């Protein structure tokens, strides 16, 4: 153990050479964002707190927005933003948001091992509604380990804090911060040529600072197992079974409203990642998902979810991406047991100068609220919406990134209280030292 610690310390002391990383697929228009070090956007286009557990549990490692010259670096940044409808109401109220963050970024490889950590403390300050002010501690770190050429795995931990989406959480008089944590220990072993065995343990914790009746806080524990057929790192097909048992941590059993105190989540997942050509990539996932409640089967539900993402590098400076997603998650009240959301997005990224990139994207979504436990007098709730965004990034210096964005969002619904529209304008920057 002492020898291993000495080797690790010696490795961290050495500077890591700069690596040329393959661009990741652009972000899919989705309500649930993974924890990220890119904190220049304030929580105005908020993550959806619908409690959807991330389907793909393999930690993604997108390229850092700035090159990392040393194994350990300091990151600082901030932003100014204006949101024309901060509470996502039909009667819009505008707000100005200031953010500032400081953090550390570690990325170090030693032989076949890799250690990475991205941790930031971010302060969010609101000009008109100061009761929304809060500080967020976000991190994402882990150890990508190898035990010889045939066995590898990941130990990782993630944490993300954000203000809830007031388009879903309707109490605009309180600050409600969602804290999501995920812990993962998985492994992959080569059984035969191109065939790999997958297995892992995982834990998900979601907590709200103020009670969210439709999406209570929960603690989930479980595991996954499966097989992968691998021809290259970027060519594989996998099948996994995922099981989670969860307890609600802020909700008691309620036999009158048919509200349970725990649930079981089961998933059978088929996934594929395929680089069709040098500049073309395809990622797909198809799952059968089920939720079961031990006391009130009236709220049980199951169905198919999936994702298809396609990226095409039309030229050396222009890339196009298309994505379609279908998700399901519990949404618990008298008139709904679960929520189905379907999304589609189309985007383009253009590097029109050596240090300047422009991205444009449009997206559409539809959300249906299903399986009422109390008879409805009219149609079930259904929402539709659109989002359009323009974003520019300028690398002023090697380790200094300036960005600006404009976003328009709109939601229509057969529920008159769930209709809103607005715009967000943001200017921010980040620096690695």
């Amino acid at each position: 153990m002492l020898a291993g610690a000495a080797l690790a310390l010696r490795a961290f002391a050495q500077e890591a050479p700069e690596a040329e990383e393959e661009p990741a697929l652009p972000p899919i228009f989705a309500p649930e964002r993974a924890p990220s070090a890119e904190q220049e956007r304030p929580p105005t286009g908020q993550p959806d707190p619908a409690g959807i557990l991330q389907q793909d549990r393999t930690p993604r490692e997108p390229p850092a927005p700035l090159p990392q010259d040393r194994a350990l670096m300091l990151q600082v940044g901030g932003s100014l933003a204006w949101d024309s409808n901060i509470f996502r109401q039909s009667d819009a109220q505008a707000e100005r948001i200031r953010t500032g963050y400081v953090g550390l970024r570690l990325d170090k490889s030693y032989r076949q091992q890799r250690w990475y950590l991205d941790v930031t403390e971010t302060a969010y300050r609101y000009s008109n509604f100061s009761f929304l002010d809060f500080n967020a501690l976000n991190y994402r770190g882990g150890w990508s380990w190898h035990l010889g050429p045939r066995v590898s795995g990941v130990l990782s931990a993630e944490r993300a804090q954000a203000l809830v989406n007031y388009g879903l959480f309707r109490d605009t008089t309180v600050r409600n911060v969602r804290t999501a944590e995920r812990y993962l220990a998985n492994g992959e072993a080569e059984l035969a040529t191109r065939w790999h065995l997958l297995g892992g343990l995982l834990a998900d914790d979601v907590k709200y600072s103020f009670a969210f009746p439709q999406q209570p806080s929960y603690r989930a524990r479980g595991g996954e197992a499966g097989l992968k057929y691998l021809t290259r790192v970027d060519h594989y097909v996998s099948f996994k079974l995922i099981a989670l048992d969860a307890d609600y941590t802020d909700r008691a059993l309620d036999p009158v409203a048919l509200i349970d105190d725990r649930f079981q989540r089961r998933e059978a997942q088929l996934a594929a990642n395929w680089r069709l050509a040098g500049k073309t990539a395809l990622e797909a996932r198809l799952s059968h998902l089920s939720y079961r409640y031990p006391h009130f089967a009236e709220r049980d539900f199951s169905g198919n979810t999936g994702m298809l993402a396609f990226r095409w590098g039309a030229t050396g400076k222009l890339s196009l991406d298309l994505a379609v997603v279908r998700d399901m998650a519990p949404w618990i009240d008298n008139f709904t047991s679960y929520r189905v959301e379907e999304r589609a997005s189309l985007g383009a990224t253009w590097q029109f100068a050596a240090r300047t990139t422009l991205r444009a994207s449009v997206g559409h979504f539809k959300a249906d609220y299903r399986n009422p436990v109390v008879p409805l007098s009219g149609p079930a709730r259904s929402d539709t919406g659109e989002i359009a965004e323009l974003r520019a990034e300028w690398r002023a210096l090697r380790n200094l990134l300036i960005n600006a964005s404009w976003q328009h969002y709109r939601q229509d619904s057969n529920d008159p209280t769930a209709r809103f529209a607005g715009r967000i304008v943001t200017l921010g920057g980040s620096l690695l030292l």
Side-chain angles (χ1 to χ4, degrees):
M1 292 177 62
L2 291 175
L7 286 173
L9 290 173
R10 187 183 306 169
F12 287 135
Q14 298 174 356
E15 290 192 359
E18 182 179 342
E20 190 72 19
E21 297 185 80
E22 183 71 18
L25 286 175
I28 296 171
F29 172 60
E32 186 92 344
R33 289 178 179 265
S36 171
E38 195 174 358
Q39 300 294 334
E40 59 268 24
R41 298 191 194 186
T44 47
Q46 315 260 357
D48 183 341
I52 298 172
L53 296 172
Q54 185 177 325
Q55 302 292 313
D56 183 357
R57 300 183 178 280
T58 302
R60 293 173 178 269
E61 300 172 14
L66 292 171
Q68 190 158 337
D69 298 325
R70 300 182 303 278
L72 182 64
M73 298 191 72
L74 174 70
Q75 52 186 347
V76 295
S79 68
L80 295 172
W82 174 78
D83 190 335
S84 69
N85 192 352
I86 187 65
F87 291 119
R88 307 300 188 259
Q89 303 284 316
S90 56
D91 184 13
Q93 300 182 76
E95 178 60 293
R96 296 186 303 276
I97 307 101
R98 307 180 306 278
T99 72
Y101 74 86
V102 61
L104 290 174
R105 179 177 294 168
L106 168 70
D107 194 335
K108 180 62 185 178
S109 297
Y110 180 72
R111 297 190 178 180
Q112 291 186 314
Q113 315 302 315
R114 182 189 174 208
W115 296 269
Y116 57 92
L117 175 66
D118 216 324
V119 56
T120 58
E121 177 78 17
T122 307
Y124 297 96
R125 298 297 180 262
Y126 294 76
S127 297
N128 300 322
F129 304 99
S130 58
F131 71 91
L132 296 177
D133 293 353
F134 74 102
N135 295 338
L137 175 63
N138 290 353
Y139 58 77
R140 176 179 175 274
W143 170 30
S144 296
W145 56 269
H146 284 76
L147 188 61
R150 298 178 181 271
V151 181
S152 62
V154 173
L155 293 174
S156 68
E158 300 181 4
R159 186 177 194 257
Q161 287 187 302
L163 209 61
V164 301
N165 183 346
Y166 282 96
L168 294 172
F169 179 75
R170 310 302 294 171
D171 189 347
T172 61
T173 64
V174 299
R175 177 185 65 222
N176 198 352
V177 176
R178 180 179 190 264
T179 302
E181 297 177 346
R182 169 165 295 132
Y183 307 95
L184 174 68
N186 71 5
E188 180 173 332
E190 184 177 351
L191 294 177
T193 304
R194 299 183 178 179
W195 287 97
H196 290 216
L197 178 66
L198 308 176
L201 299 174
L202 54 98
D204 280 315
D205 292 339
V206 173
K207 182 171 66 175
Y208 295 91
S209 62
F210 191 87
F212 191 163
Q214 292 79 22
Q215 280 297 313
S217 304
Y218 65 85
R219 178 175 298 167
R221 302 291 184 266
E224 59 187 19
L227 287 172
K228 176 191 285 187
Y229 181 76
L230 181 71
T231 58
R232 284 181 6 196
V233 173
D234 52 4
H235 287 66
Y236 72 82
V237 176
S238 68
F239 176 77
K240 290 195 295 186
L241 297 175
I242 304 169
L244 283 176
D245 293 334
D247 295 312
Y248 289 122
T249 56
D250 61 356
R251 167 169 286 180
L253 198 68
D254 186 345
V256 176
L258 303 181
I259 293 176
D260 220 309
D261 59 354
R262 58 185 183 271
F263 65 86
Q264 294 180 334
R265 182 185 186 276
R266 301 293 184 262
E267 179 184 357
Q269 179 192 107
L270 180 66
N273 193 313
W274 213 259
R275 187 170 297 277
L276 305 176
K279 298 288 185 177
T280 306
L282 178 69
E283 185 178 1
R285 184 188 68 248
L286 178 63
S287 298
H288 182 77
L289 184 66
S290 68
Y291 277 78
R292 296 290 180 261
Y293 297 90
H295 297 100
F296 307 114
E298 294 88 344
R299 291 199 181 271
D300 292 352
F301 67 91
S302 63
N304 295 324
T305 66
M307 179 273 293
L308 178 65
F310 177 78
R311 183 176 186 271
W312 174 44
T315 68
K317 297 185 177 181
L318 176 65
S319 64
L320 305 175
D321 56 273
L322 171 68
V324 291
V325 181
R326 187 177 195 269
D327 278 326
M328 304 173 67
W331 185 267
I332 303 171
D333 58 27
N334 287 336
F335 306 107
T336 307
S337 295
Y338 68 100
R339 184 173 182 262
V340 177
E341 185 166 324
E342 296 172 344
R343 306 182 297 275
S345 69
L346 177 65
T349 303
W350 177 36
Q351 185 179 355
F352 64 90
R355 295 187 175 187
T356 308
T357 302
L358 180 66
R359 174 164 175 80
S361 63
V362 293
H364 174 82
F365 78 90
K366 184 177 186 296
D368 294 322
Y369 296 75
R370 301 181 179 181
N371 192 27
V373 295
V374 173
L376 295 173
S377 58
R381 177 180 166 181
S382 180
D383 303 337
T384 60
E386 291 80 33
I387 185 170
E389 183 177 22
L390 286 173
R391 182 174 175 84
E393 293 185 347
W394 174 46
R395 185 170 292 178
L397 301 172
R398 174 176 171 79
N399 288 335
L400 175 62
L401 186 70
I402 306 296
N403 60 77
S405 67
W406 170 90
Q407 183 186 98
H408 174 76
Y409 56 87
R410 181 178 65 86
Q411 178 173 293
D412 292 322
S413 176
N414 57 4
D415 179 355
T417 66
R419 300 170 186 166
F420 57 84
R423 297 178 304 281
I424 304 172
V425 180
T426 305
L427 176 64
S430 55
L431 175 67
L432 274 180
L433 300 172

